[in-house]
Amino acid sequence: AIGIPYLSFSISWPRIVPFGVANSPVNTEGLQHYDDVINTCLEYGITPIVTLNHVDFPTAQAADYSTLTDNFLYYAKQVMTRYADRVPYWVTFNEPNIGIGNSFTSYNDLTHVLTAHAAVYHWYKEELQGTGQITMKFANNLGVPLDPSNSSHVDAALRYQDFILGIMANPLFLGEQYPSTVLNTPNLNLTPLTQTQLSTINNTVDFWAFDPYVAQFALPPPE
């Protein structure tokens, strides 16, 4: 009625695979519900954009992200196989780059997110032969130096962007290692990506997607 040509919505992983793990039962009524959502979009000339995970990880998965790749791929196969003929845009994960302290407790959990995303991308393109576009959506509150003439403020802004964007965009878009500013931060204990991981993750994004909220000033802490 208001003329918006796209609807971006999320499918609930726990709704489709309630136990959250590979080879566990699938809720077919949940799949039928999203059939109705997608078909209604198309009926009114609205293009669906589907996000596979918007923070709502199944309880079993949230307890241990080391199994994320296998479990997420299993769930994604149920959804993408069913809707591939009607959905041209897919988002694997919504804003995982700001998930530390919320969904994730360790920066190494982001590695599991990257490998899970890459596994879904390769399966969709190479095995399912899907023709849609796939991305991972980022959040970003742009960090700008409080005093642009102060080099320490500029460095703080760049460091902030390394933590928010570079940490996942480096391997996805550039095939590059995590930023050195992140890897060299004491007590962070982030394990560098291997060459095999980098080659698997690189170029598994078809377009850049992000939620821009606000800009915020950056400066080094007083101490």
Side-chain angles (χ1 to χ4, degrees), residues 51-181:
T51 296
L52 293 173
N53 178 253
H54 195 142
V55 184
D56 57 337
F57 291 93
T59 303
Q61 184 61 85
D64 179 11
Y65 286 103
S66 67
T67 61
L68 180 63
T69 298
D70 289 342
N71 294 338
F72 186 66
L73 179 59
Y74 174 75
Y75 153 63
K77 285 181 177 180
Q78 316 306 316
V79 173
M80 300 175 95
T81 300
R82 183 151 180 147
Y83 310 133
D85 61 330
R86 287 163 286 162
V87 175
Y89 301 104
W90 297 92
V91 179
T92 53
F93 295 95
N94 183 79
E95 302 182 355
N97 62 313
I98 59 169
I100 304 299
N102 298 307
S103 301
F104 313 119
T105 57
S106 165
Y107 273 88
N108 285 307
D109 290 337
L110 300 184
T111 298
H112 299 309
V113 172
L114 286 168
T115 56
H117 162 88
V120 169
Y121 185 95
H122 288 296
W123 170 82
Y124 176 83
K125 299 285 186 174
E126 297 160 17
E127 295 186 41
L128 188 63
Q129 297 290 301
T131 59
Q133 297 186 55
I134 298 179
T135 192
M136 177 191 295
K137 188 164 66 175
F138 295 93
N140 183 34
N141 293 335
L142 177 66
V144 295
L146 179 64
D147 178 2
S149 66
N150 187 322
S151 62
S152 69
H153 289 209
V154 173
D155 289 343
L158 293 173
R159 177 181 176 83
Y160 171 83
Q161 293 299 149
D162 276 344
F163 269 85
I164 296 298
L165 293 184
I167 192 169
M168 302 191 83
N170 270 18
L172 282 169
F173 289 94
L174 304 175
E176 294 182 359
Q177 185 59 257
Y178 290 135
S180 59
T181 49

Side-chain angles (χ1 to χ4, degrees), residues 1-8 41-42 44-49 88-89:
I2 60 177
I4 295 176
Y6 296 93
L7 176 65
S8 174
C41 285
L42 298 176
Y44 289 98
I46 297 169
T47 300
I49 303 172
Y89 301 104

